[in-house]
Amino acid sequence: MKKNRSHVLPGFGLSLGFAIFYLSLIVLIPLSMVFIETAQLGWDEWFRIVTSERVIHSYKISFGTSLAAAGINAVFGLIVAWVLVRCTFPGKRLLDALIDLPFALPTAVAGITLTTLYSENGWIGQFFAPLNIKIAFTPLGITVALIFIGLPFVVRMVQPVLQNLDKEVEEAAESLGASRFQTFRKVIFPELLPALLSGFSLAFARGLGEYGSVVFIAGNMPMKTEIAPLLIMTKLEQFDYAGATAIASVMLVISFVCLILINLFQIWCRKDRLAKG
Amino acid sequence: MMSIQIRRVSKRFGNFLALQNIDLEISDGQLVALLGPSGSGKTTLLRIIAGLERPDEGAVLFDGKDITDVHVRHRKVGFVFQHYALFKHMTVFENIAFGLKVRKRRERPSSSEIKRTVDKLLSLVKLEGFANRYPHQLSGGQRQRVALARALAVKPRILLLDEPFGALDAKVRKELRRWLRRLHDEYRMTTVFVTHDQEEALDVADKIVIMNKGAIEQIGPPDEVYDEPASPFVYDFLGSVNLFHGRLADGKLKLKGAEIDVPGHFGASNVEAVGCVRPHQLSIEREKNGGDSFRATVQYCRSIGPDVFIELAAAESDKYVEVQLNKEEFQKLNLKKGETVFVRPREMRVFIPGH
């Protein structure tokens, strides 16, 4: 038996120290540079930049499309994960491998491909054009790109949980008279919810930061389809580092608050179950 | 209460024949144990009765009505799983109330009625005060009691239990199975439970169904299957047994180094046969007192409470024999390891394979 029974890792102090140092080096220091850089502006200037109409609109587009895409991914990612775990069909392994492709593909390639497909005379876009629905170069197009980028997060978070679900629990529910829908809603879904939320928040966070695939399909029209990361890029190209970091600092704070809220909700979901085992 | 009939039921999983041509009759209010080693098909049979598995052939009848195609949801059976299968995110109360709450609005009891039912069940399983706990906050025995209460909440006509006490320690197991017996007598349900523990089956069941390799070996009340096993398998499965393989001729079983009288088998001549002798039916003697004892060397002695178990190696064959003596007899003999003695079966049941 180990002397220190509560910690699995040997040298708890050392490993904690290393973890904090590593996190600081990789995450905290670069992020704090954003605030240090933007501090050069002073409050008034900073406030003027982040509340300018164009910037506010880009925030709305960024958060709106990311939220929509993460939501759609949560629903359909769950269905895809369900099919991959519960159904057997030829080519299942291939499909399973395909899920990760959006991770591996350079985002610019994804952007170009999606733009070609969804533009007015593209393979898919042409069916929507007669209905007066434009996809490419609209917020809808941005959402499509973010759905593509975020799908693996939800599928890969939900899949293992679904795999480990005890079949007997479902059988128990059915033997007690529950319908298939009741079994799903009352027994399976609550088990999946924490993983689904994790996948949702990862897809959401990824969507906020996504640049490469979006700039192609968005069309980048100011006040219409301009995302916040693009505005940051534009400022950087003009060597306006302070202005770029000002926009970034607001993004950072809002994202952080969103992620904390999702985390709190997750903790609330399993408050009584995490205590032990 | 209901009777259950199983008619010529077969089930295969891929190439594995889990059940072959099972016929079984369980009458109203009986407590029946399906007993067998793992892979004998006992759990599959239970799941077929529940409707969790479909038989490939044959039919299942409740009270004479064919329910083979009826979904588990509509069979009104209570099923208790070996690993409890409780709903982890629900409290004990919500777990037990589940079966009532999922009913259609017309049939659903009011929430005060549900509360009354759950409270009654909680006191029945002696878990008053645990209503707001979550399953992970309970011990194994408590979880299994919650699982039982949950199954009973829907007032099943048949209660099915799959190795209900298999994952619990010996003491809790004994307590719970006595309690199951009382529960069965009070609630007057038809109860079927699966076990691989012969003691458990002998202790609580009205009727034991012994299964092996997808087939039923013997059906009968506990003392009958114990005292008159129908095959060497049943002999072996219900308690330990020494098997002597030999040839049957002239009313004697001829072994290497001994010939044992077996009355009742005069008709057979020169056929292969197996003699079954329980360890307590063997005597150890210092001298050869006739043709029915054989030479053996003491290998190992161990005492468990008042009994002493002696393992011997037969001299004439390479078989091992287990003998059970009480402490007095053992002390009188003063056996030492490596000593050569004579072993004599006082009683023997002979089976002719294929009969």
Side-chain angles (χ1 to χ4, degrees):
Chain A
M1 280 313 306
K2 286 199 178 72
K3 270 182 287 174
N4 198 344
R5 285 173 59 224
S6 54
H7 303 298
V8 181
L9 274 179
F12 176 70
L14 187 70
S15 34
L16 179 69
F18 177 75
I20 289 177
F21 167 73
Y22 187 78
L23 257 180
S24 310
L25 190 72
I26 302 292
V27 181
L28 286 179
I29 296 175
L31 288 190
S32 52
M33 278 314 288
V34 170
F35 294 98
I36 292 166
E37 188 75 33
T38 199
Q40 297 170 1
L41 289 172
W43 278 113
D44 292 343
E45 182 64 5
W46 179 83
F47 195 73
R48 197 188 53 78
I49 293 176
V50 301
T51 54
S52 76
E53 213 179 339
R54 199 170 155 189
V55 173
I56 293 276
H57 201 272
S58 77
Y59 288 149
K60 282 185 190 159
I61 288 287
S62 270
F63 283 97
T65 53
S66 298
L67 214 58
I72 291 168
N73 268 331
V75 175
F76 290 94
L78 177 66
I79 295 173
V80 171
W82 185 275
V83 168
L84 284 177
V85 172
R86 293 296 173 101
C87 308
T88 34
F89 52 90
K92 180 172 152 173
R93 279 175 182 275
L94 189 73
L95 190 68
D96 195 62
L98 276 178
I99 300 291
D100 290 327
L101 217 56
F103 276 157
L105 205 65
T107 49
V109 176
I112 293 166
T113 316
L114 290 172
T115 312
T116 324
L117 276 178
Y118 286 98
S119 63
E120 255 168 280
N121 41 22
W123 282 7
I124 299 176
Q126 61 178 330
F127 298 111
F128 288 92
L131 305 171
N132 234 343
I133 299 171
K134 280 177 70 179
I135 297 175
F137 315 123
T138 65
L140 200 57
I142 302 176
T143 312
V144 169
L146 295 182
I147 291 170
F148 177 82
I149 293 298
L151 177 73
F153 291 105
V154 175
V155 177
R156 290 297 182 235
M157 289 306 287
V158 172
Q159 215 177 359
V161 181
L162 205 51
Q163 238 145 16
N164 289 332
L165 263 192
D166 194 358
K167 203 177 122 241
E168 289 189 345
V169 174
E170 283 165 59
E171 290 178 344
E174 289 198 326
S175 77
L176 291 166
S179 66
R180 288 174 80 159
F181 177 69
Q182 283 172 323
T183 306
F184 178 78
R185 193 172 61 88
K186 298 191 167 201
V187 176
I188 302 174
F189 188 70
E191 297 283 319
L192 296 180
L193 192 58
L196 194 64
L197 278 173
S198 295
F200 173 84
S201 54
L202 283 174
F204 174 62
R206 173 70 204 266
L208 283 177
E210 180 58 21
Y211 174 77
S213 60
V214 176
V215 286
F216 290 97
I217 201 166
N220 309 327
M221 285 165 282
M223 313 295 293
K224 280 209 186 95
T225 57
E226 211 171 33
I227 54 167
L230 181 84
L231 269 186
I232 296 171
M233 226 15 226
T234 319
K235 297 250 186 232
L236 286 179
E237 273 162 2
Q238 297 157 355
F239 302 104
D240 180 9
Y241 291 133
T245 51
I247 302 174
S249 63
V250 174
M251 288 279 287
L252 254 177
V253 170
I254 302 179
S255 317
F256 192 61
V257 170
C258 286
L259 291 178
I260 280 189
L261 285 177
I262 295 171
N263 264 312
L264 285 177
F265 183 60
Q266 253 178 319
I267 290 168
W268 178 78
C269 277
R270 44 181 169 181
K271 56 181 190 288
D272 300 290
R273 289 191 289 150
L274 268 184
K276 161 176 112 173
Chain B
M1 267 211 292
M2 319 199 86
S3 64
I4 306 169
Q5 288 90 34
I6 315 280
R7 292 210 183 132
R8 307 189 69 74
V9 159
S10 294
K11 174 81 185 173
R12 38 174 83 244
F13 295 107
N15 285 326
F16 176 68
L17 190 58
L19 292 174
Q20 38 185 331
N21 258 331
I22 298 287
D23 272 302
L24 179 63
E25 195 75 38
I26 295 168
S27 42
D28 269 20
Q30 264 188 329
L31 177 54
V32 174
L34 300 179
L35 178 66
S38 51
S40 59
K42 56 191 192 303
T43 296
T44 309
L45 183 57
L46 192 79
R47 288 173 61 86
I48 285 177
I49 297 174
L52 293 170
E53 216 81 66
R54 255 195 72 89
D56 294 335
E57 281 162 48
V60 182
L61 291 82
F62 286 178
D63 272 351
K65 222 176 93 200
D66 189 335
I67 46 99
T68 317
D69 294 321
V70 176
H71 193 273
V72 54
R73 194 178 296 137
H74 306 298
R75 283 199 192 183
K76 296 208 166 154
V77 295
F79 201 97
V80 176
F81 295 84
Q82 180 177 9
H83 299 291
Y84 329 126
L86 293 178
F87 308 129
K88 281 181 278 183
H89 57 279
M90 294 185 201
T91 61
V92 168
F93 184 95
E94 290 166 331
N95 263 284
I96 299 175
F98 184 86
L100 300 171
K101 284 189 180 165
V102 295
R103 287 196 186 159
K104 289 198 196 87
R105 187 154 293 141
R106 279 177 283 119
E107 298 155 32
R108 196 188 305 153
S110 68
S111 58
S112 62
E113 264 175 87
I114 291 180
K115 182 159 184 342
R116 218 172 315 130
T117 310
V118 174
D119 284 343
K120 223 177 94 197
L121 284 163
L122 277 172
S123 75
L124 181 77
V125 298
K126 299 194 194 75
L127 286 171
E128 300 103 326
F130 286 82
N132 294 319
R133 299 276 187 98
Y134 282 84
H136 67 79
Q137 295 167 315
L138 306 177
S139 71
Q142 290 170 331
R143 281 182 217 187
Q144 194 56 295
R145 269 143 56 198
V146 174
L148 244 160
R150 183 178 66 177
L152 292 174
V154 294
K155 296 211 169 65
R157 298 171 298 179
I158 293 170
L159 183 63
L160 305 169
L161 307 99
D162 184 11
E163 305 234 5
F165 314 127
L168 304 170
D169 59 64
K171 216 178 151 202
V172 179
R173 203 150 72 195
K174 205 159 190 168
E175 208 179 285
L176 274 184
R177 73 186 186 222
R178 287 285 156 76
W179 179 79
L180 173 69
R181 177 75 235 188
R182 277 206 306 277
L183 190 82
H184 168 84
D185 293 341
E186 257 168 59
Y187 267 61
R188 307 294 302 152
M189 298 169 287
T190 306
T191 307
V192 184
F193 75 103
V194 158
T195 181
H196 60 260
D197 181 350
Q198 37 124 341
E199 200 191 316
E200 197 165 287
L202 293 169
D203 194 12
V204 293
D206 295 324
K207 184 156 108 175
I208 297 181
V209 178
I210 295 163
M211 299 189 62
N212 183 30
K213 292 182 186 151
I216 293 176
E217 291 266 341
Q218 190 174 1
I219 304 173
D223 37 350
E224 188 186 304
V225 291
Y226 189 79
D227 295 332
E228 291 158 48
S231 66
F233 172 82
V234 178
Y235 232 117
D236 190 31
F237 200 72
L238 293 176
S240 41
V241 71
N242 294 294
L243 300 179
F244 296 98
H245 294 268
R247 297 193 83 76
L248 196 60
D250 315 325
K252 285 173 193 285
L253 182 68
K254 298 184 174 174
L255 308 168
K256 282 178 184 160
E259 284 188 0
I260 292 138
D261 287 328
V262 279
H265 282 283
F266 277 103
S269 73
N270 205 25
V271 289
E272 278 188 44
V274 190
C276 296
V277 187
R278 296 229 185 261
H280 67 87
Q281 294 170 330
L282 286 166
S283 301
I284 295 180
E285 286 154 1
R286 288 266 170 206
E287 276 141 44
K288 192 164 173 78
N289 296 325
D292 57 353
S293 64
F294 56 89
R295 207 142 51 96
T297 328
V298 178
Q299 298 284 312
Y300 182 69
C301 307
R302 70 197 149 94
S303 54
I304 298 172
D307 300 317
V308 182
F309 292 88
I310 301 134
E311 203 178 288
L312 305 104
E316 245 69 29
S317 60
D318 51 358
K319 299 267 294 190
Y320 287 88
V321 189
E322 192 182 45
V323 179
Q324 181 186 353
L325 300 177
N326 63 40
K327 220 153 213 166
E328 261 171 63
E329 291 171 316
F330 178 70
Q331 275 158 358
K332 213 183 281 171
L333 276 165
N334 191 23
L335 290 176
K336 294 204 176 55
K337 210 170 148 184
E339 232 178 331
T340 302
V341 291
F342 292 90
V343 176
R344 190 169 61 82
R346 295 190 307 272
E347 268 173 73
M348 180 182 271
R349 270 177 76 92
V350 176
F351 295 96
I352 301 165
H355 275 242

